[in-house]
Amino acid sequence: MCGIVAYVGSKEAYPIIIEGLKRLEYRGYDSAGVSILNGTMNTFKCKGKVTDLEQVIVKEKIKGTAGMGHTRWATHGVPNNINAHPHLSGDGNLAIVHNGIIENYGTLRTALEKLGHSFVSDTDTEVLIHLIEEIRNTNDLSLEEATRRALQKVVGAYAIVVLDANDPDKIVGAKKSSPLVFGLGDGEYFLASDASPIVKYTDKVIYLEDEEVITIHRNGDYEIRTIENELTDPEVQQIDLNIEELEKGGYEHYMLKEIYQQPQTIAESMRGRLSADEGWAKLGGMEQHLTRFKNAKRIILTACGTSWHAAMIAEYLFEEFARIPTEVEYASEFRYRNPIITPDDVIIALSQSGETADTLAAVKLAKSKGAFIYGIVNNVGSTIPRTTDSGSYIHAGPEIGVASTKAFTSQLTVLTLMAIILGHLKGKISEGYYRQLLSELESVPSLVAKILAKADQIKYIAGEIRNTSNALYLGRGYNFPVALEGALKLKEISYIHAEGYPAAEMKHGPIALIDMYMPVVVIATNKSAHEKIVSNIQEVKARKGIVVAIVTEGDTRIKEMADFTIEIPYIEEPLSPLLSVIPLQLLSYYIAVMRGCNVDQPRNLAKSVTVE
Ligand code: M6R
């Protein structure tokens, strides 16, 4: 993971870099550092967050109009001051920041040590800057040429920026499997892990491709070459991102803002894509490939984390509406088990960030086997949508809280729409049901707003169970993946151990855990298996468990049995995850806040998992 930002222009670089690092902190936050060029390489770095870094800066030394910064999520070497980036070459003249992993760093390090290099950190990154230094000095090369040649020897993933103390008018960057965006401002130029540090200054960007090296000169000349030294002719793109979208907008945390944005973000993910009144639905990315979708013998969805939970719900949707056999794969497992993929399969890759390394690797593997790949991604211009054959953006806007919330509901909206379109196309759902589903989907934003209005009630329940060490989440059918998602939300931000289970599986083991201290969150909105869920709740109550039930409005039966109930509006069961997940997001949020946890930046996590 890690966030990178670099600047060369006419302004003071340090404030721009620090502000950029704060925007990129969602990518990692266990240490941070900057290097500013002003005749010498002035580097400051420390364990902790960007605000900690600000405390160790010596103001007089960070004046300069070129520099770079880094916020780290540790891979090689514990988070401490020494392992923090930037790392320096042996002579101290070159500095590097890096996002990724150099897999063959051990071999490279040994070879460099034999040549007399010595290292101060445990990182793979320090090895790379020494390698660049070695190649440069031995062959008397320019910085970009030495970087290019060094990268030919590297196995692994990288987005890097390299600076030379003796050339303050130039920055060099490169990428492979980790993102790097070049921003072209008015007399000022940027490199960053994503566009968020850049949008304040320019909307013109170039997304670097894998194995490309960029050299940017202060006068605005730039050149992009592959590591094989071929000159490229990249397209300058205009990005549509405004700075307010990157702010908390008056909310205490990004996560809360993003939960509350869902009526708008769900509406955004449907905008221009359906009209229940007129009886149509379409996704631009599917239009050109309808025959392929219609004739698909199988759909395989691949993703990680919360996106994987959305994929699991899609399995139910595609099979129910379109009657297409559907499988869901953890991207990390998919790529390592030689999967059978045929030309009749449609692969759907889901990712909020569009950068998740495991998902990207699964996409590349499926592509190498000739599969048709459809991406469902939030982050516009990220790597996955540039690697897939077609796809749909979910248009949820920047999601900055590490715990995914609005991206999940927008992914579900798009997946539900896909399943409805396919069911209609294949004649598997009646015209009447098709229109009803479209109409109910259109009503989701207002129903979500109604649930959000119950925040105080959910906060109260959070206060009642906040001190638990464990929690169980149970759901059936469409709500089983919602139970998994609820449990993931709780564990990742509050550090409470939580498990999601299909409700009926409880009696096959987890029931042994239930006692008077165990909160059991039951998502009990299903009409189809209502009796069975009632029985499951009784089984929990018989063992004195604390039941928090999410029920459909008017369900008095469960209300009488449960310790706490949260009522949500009725909706057709296949669409119910779009509603039932909302109280679970709020419940986790309030519990985590009450426990004093950093909900936007939970320990050990990062938003974009760009390492495998
Ligand atoms: O960006 P992606 O959707 O590919 O990310 C996948 C997971 O890393 C992500 O959903 C993660 O599990 C979140 N922290 C969950 O809230």
Side-chain angles (χ1 to χ4, degrees):
M1 285 81 84
C2 307
I4 289 175
V5 58
Y7 175 88
V8 60
S10 54
K11 298 185 187 131
E12 283 297 318
Y14 173 74
I16 293 172
I17 289 166
I18 282 289
E19 189 188 11
L21 286 182
K22 285 181 181 166
R23 295 213 186 283
L24 291 172
E25 226 173 0
Y26 73 89
R27 302 179 64 86
Y29 32 81
D30 55 40
S31 56
V34 288
S35 286
I36 304 291
L37 288 178
N38 56 13
T40 59
M41 185 75 69
N42 286 294
T43 299
F44 296 93
K45 53 185 190 171
C46 68
K47 181 178 176 203
K49 305 207 168 185
V50 177
T51 46
D52 299 308
L53 174 66
E54 287 176 288
Q55 306 311 311
V56 303
I57 295 291
V58 178
K59 291 253 160 25
E60 310 74 66
K61 292 200 168 176
I62 42 98
K63 298 228 162 297
T65 51
M68 64 186 179
H70 186 269
T71 177
R72 180 173 187 242
W73 185 86
T75 56
H76 291 69
V78 295
N80 61 23
N81 294 349
I82 292 172
N83 290 333
H85 298 212
H87 288 284
L88 303 180
S89 55
D91 64 10
N93 283 331
L94 306 184
I96 187 170
V97 289
H98 170 217
N99 168 29
I101 294 182
I102 309 298
E103 289 169 13
N104 59 338
Y105 86 105
T107 322
L108 295 172
R109 181 171 170 141
T110 309
L112 286 162
E113 278 167 344
K114 283 192 185 138
L115 293 170
H117 289 257
S118 57
F119 298 90
V120 293
S121 80
D122 306 318
T123 65
D124 50 341
T125 308
E126 191 188 9
V127 174
L128 180 54
I129 195 65
H130 278 249
L131 180 62
I132 294 170
E133 176 186 34
E134 176 64 30
I135 291 174
R136 184 182 194 192
N137 292 349
T138 313
N139 304 289
D140 195 20
L141 297 173
S142 66
L143 182 61
E144 57 271 33
E145 182 60 15
T147 302
R148 197 179 62 68
R149 292 198 196 178
L151 292 174
Q152 288 177 345
K153 298 185 186 300
V154 158
V155 178
Y158 52 80
I160 56 168
V161 181
V162 190
L163 298 181
D164 179 353
N166 297 316
D167 192 352
D169 295 330
K170 178 161 79 182
I171 56 181
V172 173
K175 79 142 253 168
K176 182 184 176 193
S177 298
S178 297
L180 198 62
V181 187
F182 170 39
L184 298 87
D186 185 10
E188 52 187 359
Y189 306 93
F190 307 80
L191 284 172
S193 298
D194 70 26
S196 63
I198 298 175
V199 284
K200 188 169 165 187
Y201 308 95
T202 179
D203 60 359
K204 291 190 190 56
V205 298
I206 292 173
Y207 293 98
L208 292 195
E209 298 295 337
D210 276 356
E211 302 197 327
E212 285 184 348
V213 180
I214 182 166
T215 311
I216 306 163
H217 300 273
R218 188 182 292 280
N219 66 4
D221 290 344
Y222 66 89
E223 188 180 80
I224 302 176
R225 288 182 178 271
T226 68
I227 62 167
E228 299 308 332
N229 208 18
E230 281 163 24
L231 197 60
T232 69
D233 185 16
E235 186 195 347
V236 179
Q237 299 186 28
Q238 198 149 351
I239 41 167
D240 177 21
L241 180 64
N242 77 50
I243 203 83
E244 286 83 51
E245 289 182 89
L246 304 170
E247 310 286 350
K248 283 193 200 142
Y251 287 90
E252 201 180 336
H253 297 101
Y254 283 109
M255 183 180 175
L256 192 62
K257 174 187 171 193
E258 287 155 9
I259 291 173
Y260 271 89
Q261 279 183 312
Q262 289 175 108
Q264 294 84 50
T265 51
I266 293 171
E268 254 332 279
S269 55
M270 291 191 264
R271 196 149 68 92
R273 290 173 165 174
L274 78 154
S275 164
D277 282 349
E278 294 167 17
W280 62 263
K282 64 166 195 271
L283 282 164
M286 284 179 84
E287 289 289 282
Q288 313 251 313
H289 307 282
L290 285 178
T291 314
R292 197 181 265 279
F293 275 104
K294 192 174 174 189
N295 298 334
K297 295 262 182 311
R298 188 172 60 151
I299 292 175
I300 303 172
L301 294 126
T302 187
C304 303
T306 288
S307 297
W308 185 78
H309 296 152
M312 280 188 78
I313 296 167
E315 180 182 11
Y316 289 76
L317 290 164
F318 287 132
E319 294 203 339
E320 178 155 348
F321 292 163
R323 307 304 297 153
I324 302 174
T326 304
E327 291 169 20
V328 183
E329 296 263 7
Y330 280 118
S332 53
E333 290 297 315
F334 182 68
R335 65 162 307 206
Y336 285 113
R337 63 165 194 78
N338 195 11
I340 299 165
I341 298 168
T342 73
D344 296 329
D345 293 332
V346 167
I347 313 282
I348 301 178
L350 283 156
S351 174
Q352 186 288 126
S353 61
E355 300 293 350
T356 299
D358 287 321
T359 310
L360 183 59
V363 165
K364 287 182 177 164
L365 175 77
K367 204 167 187 180
S368 72
K369 292 183 179 253
F372 170 74
I373 304 154
Y374 199 84
I376 298 183
V377 171
N378 190 31
N379 188 6
V380 177
S382 54
T383 310
I384 290 174
R386 288 188 285 125
T387 314
T388 47
D389 296 300
S390 186
S392 300
Y393 282 116
I394 61 170
H395 298 305
E399 189 181 68
I400 294 166
V402 164
S404 186
T405 52
K406 64 175 181 174
F408 177 73
T409 47
S410 288
Q411 285 170 335
L412 270 187
T413 305
V414 170
L415 288 164
T416 306
L417 205 49
M418 280 182 90
I420 297 172
I421 292 170
L422 281 177
H424 189 241
L425 185 72
K426 288 177 69 91
K428 301 289 182 190
I429 51 176
S430 70
E431 190 64 26
Y433 192 41
Y434 172 67
R435 283 185 178 244
Q436 182 193 345
L437 288 169
L438 293 182
S439 160
E440 296 217 6
L441 197 53
E442 280 183 336
S443 73
V444 167
S446 62
L447 301 181
V448 168
K450 276 179 86 175
I451 302 170
L452 292 171
K454 292 176 187 263
D456 283 347
Q457 184 201 347
I458 298 166
K459 192 173 186 178
Y460 170 77
I461 300 170
E464 293 296 298
I465 60 173
R466 59 186 276 196
N467 291 323
T468 189
S469 306
N470 299 287
L472 263 185
Y473 284 70
L474 304 178
R476 276 176 181 266
Y478 284 98
N479 280 318
F480 160 49
V482 177
L484 296 179
E485 175 60 8
L488 175 61
K489 285 293 87 90
L490 187 68
K491 67 187 133 190
E492 73 178 326
I493 60 169
S494 72
Y495 319 139
I496 294 171
H497 172 239
E499 299 276 358
Y501 262 91
E505 273 294 304
M506 178 184 66
K507 57 186 174 293
H508 297 288
I511 199 164
L513 297 167
I514 296 175
D515 61 16
M516 62 195 290
Y517 304 109
M518 174 69 98
V520 182
V521 180
V522 187
I523 301 112
T525 56
N526 315 49
K527 206 163 62 175
S528 57
H530 194 259
E531 279 309 316
K532 305 275 182 219
I533 292 179
V534 167
S535 304
N536 297 141
I537 292 175
Q538 272 162 348
E539 288 154 13
V540 175
K541 283 317 300 171
R543 283 146 189 98
K544 299 192 168 54
I546 308 159
V547 171
V548 179
I550 315 296
V551 300
T552 305
E553 277 169 1
D555 185 337
T556 47
R557 185 125 177 260
I558 292 180
K559 205 167 183 178
E560 279 160 17
M561 291 187 293
D563 298 86
F564 306 100
T565 49
I566 302 163
E567 291 188 58
I568 63 172
Y570 174 77
I571 195 160
E572 272 296 290
E573 206 165 312
L575 274 52
S576 63
L578 281 162
L579 304 187
S580 56
V581 74
I582 308 291
L584 305 187
Q585 295 171 345
L586 282 171
L587 190 67
S588 308
Y589 171 79
Y590 288 123
I591 292 175
V593 171
M594 286 171 192
R595 289 167 72 100
C597 301
N598 184 341
V599 293
D600 282 336
Q601 295 176 343
R603 70 183 179 208
N604 305 340
L605 286 172
K607 183 74 182 160
S608 260
V609 186
T610 56
V611 293
E612 289 178 40

